[in-house]
Amino acid sequence: MVNTKWWKNEVVYQVYPRSFQDTNNDGIGDLNGITQHLDYLKQLGVTMLWISPVYRSPMVDMGYDIADYQAIDPQFGTMADFDHLLAEAKKRGLKIIMDLVVNHTSDQHMWFKQALADPQSKYRDYYIFKTPANGQVPNNWRSIFGGSTWTEVPGEPGTYYFHTFAPQQPDLNWENPQLRKAIYQMINWWLDKGISGFRVDAITHLKKDLDWASIEPDGKDGLAAVVKKGQNRPGLAKFLLELKAQTFDRYDALTVGEAYGVAAADLPKFIGPNGYFSMMFDFSYLNIEMKNVDEWYRGRSNWTVKELKTTIFNSQQATKAAGGWSANVLESHDQQRTLSKLVPNPKFQTPTAAKALATMYYFLPGVPFIYQGQELGMKNFRRQRIDQFKDISSLNNYQTGIKEGLSATEALAIVNFKSRDNARTPMQWTDATYGGFSTTTPWLEMGNDRAGINVAAEEQDPASVLNYYRQMVALRFQAPYQAVIVDGAFEQVTSPDNVIAYRRRQAEQELVIAVNLGETAATVTLPKDYQVVLSNVAVTVTNQQVELPPYAAVILTTK
Ligand code: NOJ
Ligand code: CA
């Protein structure tokens, strides 16, 4: 089927269902909560929702450990609630994509349970088991959530199963054609329901080096990161091409790859005209704070705006060279809030700065993704104790940090800053105790710093972050800007170190975006005289120059 790229015009909103809206007062967000807010999302102007996992799950990794791909977890509601959500979304012209987690399942999945209960069953080969002759762990690979990638099978001393993530997330054996077929059937079952596609989890992990050999350790634990032997390895292409042909292509579905470890030279294979996916997340600037994306305990990185700028431009260049499309993200359920991360000085963590960061990424070529609460300028929390965290990787990073020699205070400070829970606090609808999210204690404590940061307050304030997002989103659908925002060429505009500036061009239409991420004012010399389309503070353009106060952002167009 010809890839029509119908998805180029979408603006996607990521819902983290657990924290969006609780409608039955158990402290956990649910599917009906999403349905309840469809009009809010429509008004924001987004066209598509990505729903993080709502499948049946023991929630060890908050749903990224799936026990049944074709059932809704009772915490979130029922399949009828899902069908209702899909229908109500459709009525409003909103599309839905789901999360596809097929590198691993939960250890509670029927397949894994059968594999353990009966080593002769066909399900044994759905997973990866090894029984080394010496009875030792098969190799020294370190899982992404810390510790060995191997766990001994209960009741079978000397036999181990493999997991890239937590022990409760055994990896599926993609070498097995029967397993692959079962996965394709499941995917097509969802596509037949009428969803528009998938966000594809951890997809570069499907292929592992089949020598299963130990490698040079890279930590005090004597282990080496699993990504070196189990991420974007030779042979992955075969799986991804077959996956696409057997499923997505048949429906012209949208797919967004969470595809870590792809070298620029390989981008054409992933997102080129016949790539494995419609697009891939561009994590480059999102991860600027991460020295190593999964090993937070190693501390903060001292990035500069200049580096951030180079990162954005290099990444756009690589995507363009690949003839591809990027999925542009500022926040997700896997990262702290952008305002707390990318604005180092708390004094400047203001609505103005939230709008500046929004402007920086929203007009880049590609499809913008907005993570729930980002449109309000939500911030990180501050926790006093490690038991206030729920996220498995936060808890593991804390422990690893301590093992590597950090004090409890140091480890807590890092986890406070980097924890994924920062983005998972309940959505702030109102200024009520539980933010209008629930009437009972939520599954995860609310954020601390939330005065004025909620939908009810921001709706009333024309200058709120929310209303700024609404305007930005609307621009994308408005003549004469739509064509240049969606298809316009992209080029860097020379600017002072702390200013990120770029130009989009399409025929006669031009936009210049300039954002000052520094703490002092900066002047940008423009290629031409322009006029202001939108800005977060009052700015004037004179003699082809615009002066930007700290955290000022402006979108300009030809006069
Ligand atoms: C990426 C997901 O975004 C993250 O939340 C999860 O922990 C891992 N993949 C494992 O599925
Ligand atoms: Ca609920």
Side-chain angles (χ1 to χ4, degrees), residues 345-391:
N345 184 346
K347 193 178 113 192
F348 287 102
Q349 290 168 357
T350 59
T352 300
K355 295 176 203 170
L357 292 166
T359 312
M360 171 187 88
Y361 95 113
Y362 186 83
F363 297 94
L364 293 169
V367 170
F369 280 61
I370 301 169
Y371 176 71
Q372 71 183 43
Q374 177 189 325
E375 79 278 22
L376 305 176
M378 280 176 68
K379 298 183 192 174
N380 278 4
F381 53 52
R382 287 174 309 282
R383 304 297 196 221
Q384 271 71 45
R385 302 181 321 273
I386 190 64
D387 65 11
Q388 290 173 289
F389 292 81
K390 294 269 192 280
D391 165 37

Side-chain angles (χ1 to χ4, degrees), residues 103-123:
N103 174 69
H104 45 271
T105 66
S106 159
D107 62 352
Q108 299 305 305
H109 195 290
M110 184 276 279
W111 296 341
F112 193 69
K113 287 190 176 173
Q114 289 290 328
L116 293 194
D118 175 8
Q120 303 312 316
S121 90
K122 69 169 189 175
Y123 298 112

Side-chain angles (χ1 to χ4, degrees), residues 255-320:
T255 53
V256 193
E258 189 208 27
Y260 272 107
V262 178
D266 284 337
L267 275 179
K269 289 192 264 169
F270 279 77
I271 50 168
N274 294 309
Y276 315 137
F277 302 108
S278 315
M279 50 188 133
M280 251 170 72
F281 287 117
D282 179 0
F283 290 123
S284 62
Y285 45 98
L286 188 82
N287 282 343
I288 189 105
E289 178 47 63
M290 312 297 244
K291 276 190 183 141
N292 179 322
V293 72
D294 299 305
E295 298 177 352
W296 319 334
Y297 61 84
R298 294 185 196 269
R300 292 178 73 150
S301 68
N302 292 315
W303 59 276
T304 61
V305 178
K306 199 175 165 194
E307 269 174 75
L308 178 67
K309 173 154 74 171
T310 314
T311 305
I312 292 176
F313 290 125
N314 288 348
S315 177
Q316 279 296 335
Q317 225 45 58
T319 303
K320 189 178 158 198

